[in-house]
Amino acid sequence: MNTQQFFANSIAALKSQGRYRVFADLERQCGNFPVARNYRDGAVHEVVVWCSNDYLGMGQHPDVCAAAKGAVELCGAGAGGTRNISGTNHYHVLLEQELASWNGKEAALLFTSGYVANQTALSTLGATIPGCVIFSDELNHNSMIEGIRHSKAEKHVFRHNDPDHLEQLLSAYPKETPKLVAFESVYSMDGDIAPIAKICDVAEAHNAMTYLDEVHAAGMYGAEGSGVAERDGVRDRITIIQGTLAKAIGVVGGYMAASASLVDYVRSFGPGFIFSSSMPPMVAAAALASIRVLRNQPDIRARHQERAATAKRRLAEMGIPVLPSESHIVPVMVGNAAQCKQASDLLLTKHNIYVQPINYPTVPVGTERLRITPTPLHTDDMMDHLVKSMVAVWDELELHKEHPAKVAAAE
Ligand SMILES: *Cc1c(COP(=O)(O)O)cnc(C)c1O
């Protein structure tokens, strides 16, 4: 086999399907969020970013940047090892304590990313609890799927956000069988939210542990912002809460929070935790500062929800096909990979608006979309410009519009 030819052919096939990924070359400007410089075609353009997962702009918050600078001056750039071999810095200890208390759990554990947290926690638990059976929502993130697959545990996939189907699958096992139900709170592509209490009812009836990915909720829901489980008053019913420090917290890294013994177990047996160097102290310090701000400033969350609701309403009023979502995510359906890319390109090159096209395999074929994430720092002027530009692009490409009244009613 000519492997070089194989690589080239595979890429050519992606391109012909219109889903070859082109990264926008950005330079974020501290203090100017959500504006960034975009390096493109040999020039530099100023663009407004409308698709960042730095949902609250915390990556540039003055307290967060000051904490990172302070830590780099105090400790230098890197941690110097794995957690066990010289790489536990005091900032890691403080951050784990903060994460435990923020999530209402006895203990917490840091990972280098949210992806590694899911992969390590699920693969370790699934592989080492004797006879463990895992029940997984069909729309779970790839990091959970990979963790479950790697565990080689017996697995069942339940229909998305469907506690009745979960109940059916759980019923096939006796109470003594160890079970784990893995799901997310906010699903980031459709912006829908899991019926956490109902899933807990079913899980508890069958003596199953629960594993909740709060990656797209941490920082944004609940009185102190730890997630939807806090908002819904069901944190005590969740066995393991997992999250990221890279989205609303604005830095990088992942975590899990649970009972002291469960956290100690993953700390002691999880390869993705044990064998990887710990995050730089400046990263831990920045994340710690960000969480402290978010715990104490619910007004950031209120403004965030208002911006998202306003964007949904205003786009729908113009007939732009917004998926009615219950969360801060504003999915706009295009339904075709090539058109989705064209719409994104036009927004960028003609209107200085950056929204990345979301294509397969991130979403199913036929549901390609622009996924807009308004933040508290998007102004009314930016919103006016977004709505006008989206309408211009929809008209230019003759994309499908909804009847405005219908969309408004659905919302
Ligand atoms: C982004 C994401 C992750 C991975 O988190 P990172 O910190 O970016 O590695 C995990 N779960 C979900 C649902 C995600 O969207």
Side-chain angles (χ1 to χ4, degrees):
M1 182 185 188
N2 182 338
T3 48
Q4 295 303 320
Q5 194 60 49
F6 166 78
F7 301 142
N9 290 347
S10 303
I11 293 299
L14 275 185
K15 286 185 176 166
S16 73
Q17 292 158 24
R19 54 186 189 88
Y20 180 67
R21 294 174 168 214
V22 182
F23 300 154
D25 181 349
L26 298 173
E27 187 172 84
R28 306 180 89 201
Q29 298 169 269
C30 191
N32 209 8
F33 186 88
V35 174
R37 292 196 187 91
N38 174 213
Y39 289 74
R40 163 164 47 89
D41 304 328
V44 189
H45 308 262
E46 254 199 8
V47 300
V48 178
V49 179
W50 278 98
C51 60
S52 179
N53 277 341
D54 186 353
Y55 290 121
L56 305 174
M58 293 303 290
Q60 299 180 14
H61 191 284
D63 290 10
V64 174
C65 297
K69 280 183 207 154
V72 82
E73 275 161 18
L74 189 66
C75 310
T82 61
R83 287 294 294 274
N84 190 44
I85 307 177
S86 93
T88 295
N89 196 274
H90 192 53
Y91 285 114
H92 298 123
V93 177
L94 293 177
L95 179 54
E96 283 175 340
Q97 287 168 356
E98 185 79 17
L99 285 165
S101 114
W102 190 38
N103 283 284
K105 296 290 180 194
E106 289 172 1
L109 195 64
L110 283 171
F111 297 84
T112 46
S113 73
Y115 194 103
V116 171
N118 274 337
Q119 206 184 27
T120 302
L122 287 166
S123 65
T124 303
L125 296 172
T128 60
I129 299 171
C132 185
V133 182
I134 300 182
F135 300 81
S136 175
D137 186 285
E138 68 177 329
L139 291 190
N140 274 344
H141 188 259
N142 176 270
S143 53
M144 285 200 267
I145 296 169
E146 288 295 328
I148 295 166
R149 179 179 297 159
H150 189 77
S151 78
K152 300 199 168 77
E154 193 177 329
K155 172 192 77 173
H156 296 279
V157 174
F158 60 95
R159 282 194 292 273
H160 178 54
N161 281 349
D162 187 343
D164 295 334
H165 190 218
L166 174 63
E167 159 77 32
Q168 269 176 34
L169 295 171
L170 283 165
S171 305
Y173 291 86
K175 259 215 158 104
E176 315 79 73
T177 302
K179 309 174 198 77
L180 179 71
V181 177
F183 62 116
E184 302 180 21
S185 55
V186 175
Y187 287 82
S188 73
M189 290 302 145
D190 288 352
D192 56 335
I193 296 180
I196 302 178
K198 286 190 181 134
I199 290 175
C200 288
D201 291 343
V202 173
E204 284 162 9
H206 293 275
N207 201 22
M209 296 183 286
T210 43
Y211 184 103
L212 180 63
D213 176 319
E214 290 258 35
V215 162
H216 291 278
M220 295 172 279
Y221 295 85
E224 289 195 13
S226 74
V228 181
E230 181 192 355
R231 183 197 74 176
D232 292 358
V234 293
R235 270 195 315 199
D236 292 350
R237 303 176 69 187
I238 303 290
T239 316
I240 299 152
I241 294 175
Q242 179 272 352
T244 183
L245 304 172
K247 291 171 186 171
I249 292 160
V251 193
V252 75
Y255 61 87
M256 59 174 278
S259 71
S261 60
L262 201 159
V263 166
D264 205 14
Y265 184 81
V266 176
R267 186 185 75 89
S268 305
F269 293 102
F273 176 82
I274 295 171
F275 295 105
S276 190
S277 298
S278 56
M279 63 175 56
M282 60 178 165
V283 168
L288 181 61
S290 180
I291 293 168
R292 286 180 176 163
V293 170
L294 290 172
R295 285 186 85 161
N296 295 311
Q297 297 195 14
D299 49 308
I300 299 177
R301 283 182 282 286
R303 165 89 178 160
H304 181 220
Q305 291 297 323
E306 178 278 322
R307 291 283 85 186
T310 302
K312 277 186 238 176
R313 177 179 52 77
R314 294 199 50 194
L315 289 168
E317 279 168 4
M318 298 307 291
I320 302 294
V322 178
L323 198 70
S325 88
E326 313 156 58
S327 69
H328 58 281
I329 292 160
V330 183
V332 175
M333 302 309 278
V334 180
N336 170 293
Q339 284 180 325
C340 197
K341 169 98 173 69
Q342 277 179 318
S344 167
D345 285 347
L346 274 181
L347 283 170
L348 188 66
T349 56
K350 274 200 169 169
H351 304 278
N352 294 313
I353 285 175
Y354 171 47
V355 189
Q356 186 69 17
I358 310 280
N359 289 341
Y360 178 83
T362 307
V363 295
V365 172
T367 71
E368 290 82 1
R369 66 197 66 187
L370 298 176
R371 176 180 175 275
I372 298 172
T373 54
T375 73
L377 293 153
H378 285 92
T379 62
D380 284 335
D381 285 349
M382 290 173 183
M383 193 85 76
D384 290 343
H385 181 59
L386 173 76
V387 173
K388 238 188 275 169
S389 306
M390 293 280 287
V391 170
V393 166
W394 248 246
D395 289 342
E396 181 166 346
L397 296 177
E398 297 180 355
L399 297 177
H400 167 74
K401 281 193 187 172
E402 296 276 350
H403 191 277
K406 187 181 139 204
V407 181
E411 200 188 6

